[in-house]
């Protein structure tokens, strides 16, 4: 019990005094997950919207695959990315393994299906609501997409935030492809795992508080967004 | 010359079942047409097919003007109003923005139409939060704001109180007087008599009777039309 109290106190001081290690690790976590978020959003938002609007032959299959991909265990994604990037793998020559880039790649693979799936659902609902009106007003395809994206912007933001939440808290994949190297690929989650293992609860708890704060902030924003949507206060 | 539409041998089938047709009609003169018929007789389907939001399974729809122009010259008010998830102002502005109208013109028209439907003070309110009747009025104003040559209305006054019904009828008669061809469904026979210059009576997906309003209401041709006007069950 004493050990935990001492850890909490030390953690508190680390945060108050902006401990160099803590700041560095936090910033790297943000860098990796935000990069993954931007890349994944660039792929997933248009893809999800496109899936909702276009009718094509293998649409149902595509949606089923997307939903299946959402359930991919991150550890397995890590393993696959590791094999692809390892020295003997197809992309080995690029030397990306154990760099932040490898971690970004793994996170992109993990969160793209999630963002695309949420986007698809929201856009499909909006499209079925607007369909007759937009057809009646003789909109061009471009005008339709712009209208759907604009009026569905809260849902899209929610999708992105959900993706970010998943990325920032993920540990299995980035541990494998990043290697948790000090001052290179150590991020919040992998550092917590390591420090806990070592029994250094001060830093682990300090990092844990930062992670919880980030996760809470993300969920609070999602909640606020869905509330403004429900109450129609925009 | 304003837009005319006609259907030739038009048939609509859904899931193997014929729900409309075969129908031949031509909307040429500047009439105020009321489409009457019991629930499920195909009124909505007829309007949607004429407007081009529902595809035909057989027959042809011909327009007196080339496609793009013909589509722009029409407006449609759906049976259940579709509100964009935006403010009242943005809903009214939307059809004009699509056409690339100048900002000042859009603002002026939006203000005028909002006043006409008594929503002048509600411009910033989210449209999906309006009352049912307010939504119906907004949908009508959004259709009229483009000054359509042909206006389709699917039960625009369903569930409205007497005052709102009068407001809408006034707007419709005004638009008609200024040269908009109106084709509208209603279950309110009093309203049909007030507004119609001609009538199409549908039964089981086919045009059972059609003609000028006076003769239809005074001397209906068929037993079914007579029964319908009496308020009896028609089969
Ligand atoms: N997509 C569809 N698939 C199957 N049946 C349909 C479809 N659309 C319409 N119908 C059927 O076609 C018939 C005519 O429908 P429609 O909506 O045109 O009737 P309506 O005259 O407008 O009725 P109401 O007065 O209740 O609005 C109904 O029996 C309806 O169930
Ligand atoms: Mg109907």
């Amino acid at each position: 019990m004493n050990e935990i109290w001492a850890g909490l106190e030390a953690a508190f001081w680390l945060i108050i005094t902006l401990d160099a290690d803590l700041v560095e690790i936090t910033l790297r976590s943000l860098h990796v997950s935000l990069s993954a978020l931007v890349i994944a959003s660039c792929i997933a938002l248009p893809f999800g919207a496109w899936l909702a609007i276009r009718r094509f032959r293998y649409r149902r299959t595509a949606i089923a695959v997307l939903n299946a991909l959402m359930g991919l265990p991150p550890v397995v994604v890590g393993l696959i990315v590791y094999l692809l990037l390892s020295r003997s793998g197809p992309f080995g020559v690029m030397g990306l393994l154990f760099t932040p880039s490898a971690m970004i790649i793994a996170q992109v693979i993990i969160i793209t299906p999630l963002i695309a799936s949420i986007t698809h659902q929201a856009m499909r609902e909006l499209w079925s609501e607007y369909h007759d009106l937009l057809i009646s007003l003789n909109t061009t395809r471009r005008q339709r997409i712009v209208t759907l994206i604009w009026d569905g912007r809260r849902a899209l933001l929610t999708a992105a935030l959900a993706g970010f939440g998943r990325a920032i808290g993920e540990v299995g994949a980035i541990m494998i492809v990043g290697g948790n190297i000090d001052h290179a690929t150590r991020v919040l989650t992998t550092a917590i795992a390591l420090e806990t293992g070592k029994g250094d609860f001060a830093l682990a708890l300090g990092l844990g508080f930062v992670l919880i704060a980030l996760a809470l902030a993300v969920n609070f924003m999602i909640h606020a967004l869905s509330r403004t949507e429900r109450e129609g206060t925009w | 010359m304003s837009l005319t539409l006609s259907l030739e041998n038009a048939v609509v089938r859904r899931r193997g079942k014929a729900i409309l047709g075969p129908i031949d009609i031509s909307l040429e003169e500047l009439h105020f047409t009321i489409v009457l018929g019991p629930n499920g007789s195909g009124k909505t389907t007829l309007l949607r097919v004429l407007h081009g939001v529902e595809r035909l399974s057989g027959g042809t729809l011909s327009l007196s003007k080339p496609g793009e122009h013909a589509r722009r010259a029409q407006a449609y008010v759906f049976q259940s109003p579709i509100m964009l998830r935006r403010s009242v102002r943005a809903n009214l502005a939307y059809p004009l923005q699509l056409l690339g109208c100048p900002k000042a013109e859009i603002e002026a028209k939006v203000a005028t139409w909002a006043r006409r439907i008594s929503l002048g003070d509600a411009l910033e309110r989210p449209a999906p939060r309006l009352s049912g009747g307010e939504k119906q009025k907004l949908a009508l104003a959004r259709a009229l704001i483009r000054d359509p040559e042909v206006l389709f209305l699917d039960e625009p006054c369903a569930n409205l109180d007497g005052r709102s019904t009068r407001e809408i009828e006034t707007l419709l008669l005004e638009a008609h007087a200024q040269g908009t061809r109106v084709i509208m469904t209603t279950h309110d026979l009093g309203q049909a008599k007030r507004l119609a210059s001609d009538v199409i009576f549908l039964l089981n997906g086919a045009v059972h009777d059609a003609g000028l309003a006076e003769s239809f209401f005074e001397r209906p041709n068929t037993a079914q039309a007579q029964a319908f006007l009496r308020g009896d069950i028609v089969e």
Side-chain angles (χ1 to χ4, degrees):
Chain A
M1 200 60 209
N2 266 343
E3 210 174 327
I4 297 177
W5 272 118
L8 275 175
E9 204 183 317
F12 189 68
W13 277 113
L14 284 179
I15 294 172
I16 296 283
T17 56
L18 291 175
D19 176 73
D21 276 350
L22 183 124
V23 169
E24 185 197 323
I25 292 173
T26 302
L27 288 180
R28 185 170 308 111
S29 240
L30 286 173
H31 166 237
V32 168
S33 295
L34 286 174
S35 307
L37 175 66
V38 169
I39 298 170
S41 296
C42 288
I43 304 168
L45 296 180
F47 180 68
W50 180 79
L51 260 189
I53 294 173
R54 289 286 293 185
R55 309 261 154 236
F56 58 94
R57 193 132 169 239
Y58 296 108
R59 185 162 161 274
R60 277 173 179 285
T61 321
I63 293 167
V65 169
L66 186 65
N67 287 330
L69 284 177
M70 218 175 21
L72 271 185
V75 179
V76 178
V77 173
L79 173 63
I80 294 169
V81 173
Y82 183 95
L83 293 175
L84 292 174
L85 296 183
S86 69
R87 193 93 37 86
S88 51
F91 304 106
V93 283
M94 296 163 80
L96 289 178
L97 199 59
F98 304 133
T99 66
S101 302
M103 297 154 77
I104 293 172
I105 293 172
Q107 292 203 333
V108 166
I109 296 174
I110 292 167
I111 67 175
T112 297
L114 177 71
I115 300 178
S117 180
I118 298 178
T119 304
H120 165 242
Q121 263 167 32
M123 290 289 109
R124 191 173 57 179
E125 195 182 302
L126 196 58
W127 175 232
S128 67
E129 189 179 319
Y130 281 10
H131 177 273
D132 284 348
L133 180 67
L134 297 190
I135 301 284
S136 166
L137 287 171
N138 199 28
T139 46
T140 62
R141 176 168 302 160
R142 224 187 92 83
Q143 289 171 329
R144 278 172 213 172
I145 293 198
V146 169
T147 301
L148 287 177
I149 288 181
W150 179 250
D151 287 9
R153 62 193 181 282
R154 259 169 242 87
L156 299 186
L157 202 52
T158 303
L161 283 170
F164 179 73
R166 179 137 196 232
I168 195 91
E170 195 280 320
V171 59
I174 48 172
M175 183 76 100
I176 295 179
V177 302
N180 194 20
I181 301 165
D182 205 6
H183 301 301
T185 59
R186 185 158 300 171
V187 291
L188 286 169
T189 50
T190 57
I192 292 172
L194 179 77
E195 301 303 330
T196 307
K198 286 199 316 204
D200 181 355
F201 294 118
L203 187 54
L205 279 169
L207 296 165
F209 287 142
V210 173
L211 192 54
I212 288 172
L214 283 171
L216 282 180
V218 165
N219 280 300
F220 179 75
M221 279 192 276
I222 291 179
H223 178 76
L225 279 169
S226 64
R227 213 188 48 206
T228 51
E229 182 75 45
R230 260 201 324 282
E231 291 174 358
T233 44
W234 62 84
Chain B
M1 209 18 220
S2 67
L3 175 70
T4 65
L5 308 135
S6 54
L7 284 176
E8 223 173 285
N9 214 7
V11 180
V12 177
R13 270 185 296 270
R14 293 286 176 267
R15 295 157 210 248
K17 186 174 150 255
I19 60 176
L20 191 74
I23 280 188
D24 288 276
I25 51 170
S26 179
L27 305 179
E28 279 165 12
E29 284 151 82
L30 198 74
H31 274 304
F32 197 124
T33 306
I34 297 282
V35 181
L36 293 172
N39 290 131
S41 55
K43 304 179 296 295
T44 298
T45 311
L46 174 65
L47 259 58
R48 288 173 63 90
V49 158
L50 281 165
H51 182 49
V53 288
E54 192 91 42
R55 78 195 145 71
L56 283 169
S57 314
T60 49
L61 167 69
S62 4
L63 309 160
S64 65
K65 290 183 180 174
E68 182 71 7
H69 187 106
R71 306 262 333 146
R72 281 191 181 186
Q74 303 174 40
Y76 196 111
V77 177
F78 292 93
Q79 192 162 354
S80 40
I82 303 173
M83 295 291 109
L84 296 171
R85 297 183 188 176
R86 303 180 183 192
S87 64
V88 170
R89 179 194 299 283
N91 266 274
L92 285 171
Y94 187 72
L96 299 172
Q97 284 164 346
L98 291 176
L99 296 181
C101 293
K103 261 210 165 101
E105 186 192 328
I106 295 181
E107 256 171 52
K109 281 192 176 167
V110 165
T112 311
W113 278 102
R115 217 169 334 102
R116 281 188 170 178
I117 54 171
S118 336
L119 286 179
D121 297 328
L123 276 172
E124 307 310 330
R125 278 171 62 193
R129 299 274 131 190
L130 295 174
S131 78
E134 288 166 339
K135 282 182 191 167
Q136 277 164 296
K137 287 196 262 184
L138 178 55
L140 175 68
R142 193 179 53 195
L144 284 171
I145 206 164
R146 267 204 202 181
D147 240 329
E149 293 173 27
V150 178
L151 174 64
F152 296 95
L153 303 143
D154 200 353
E155 295 186 36
C157 298
N159 305 315
L160 293 189
D161 63 16
R163 183 171 155 213
S164 299
T165 303
R166 290 299 165 141
E167 274 176 38
I168 287 192
E169 287 181 8
T170 308
L171 290 175
L172 291 178
L173 288 172
E174 230 174 79
H176 182 240
Q178 282 163 19
T180 298
R181 197 209 192 293
V182 184
I183 169 161
M184 160 173 159
T185 74
T186 179
H187 284 291
D188 176 350
L189 287 177
Q191 178 175 57
K193 286 178 188 157
R194 288 196 293 276
L195 297 177
S197 66
D198 72 336
V199 173
I200 296 175
F201 178 55
L202 288 182
L203 205 53
N204 300 322
V207 177
H208 194 77
D209 197 356
L212 290 178
E214 293 113 71
S215 61
F216 179 80
F217 290 119
E218 309 283 309
R219 300 173 297 281
N221 283 324
T222 65
Q224 284 92 333
Q226 282 166 17
F228 182 79
L229 288 177
R230 275 200 311 272
D232 288 351
I233 295 165
V234 209
E235 260 142 341

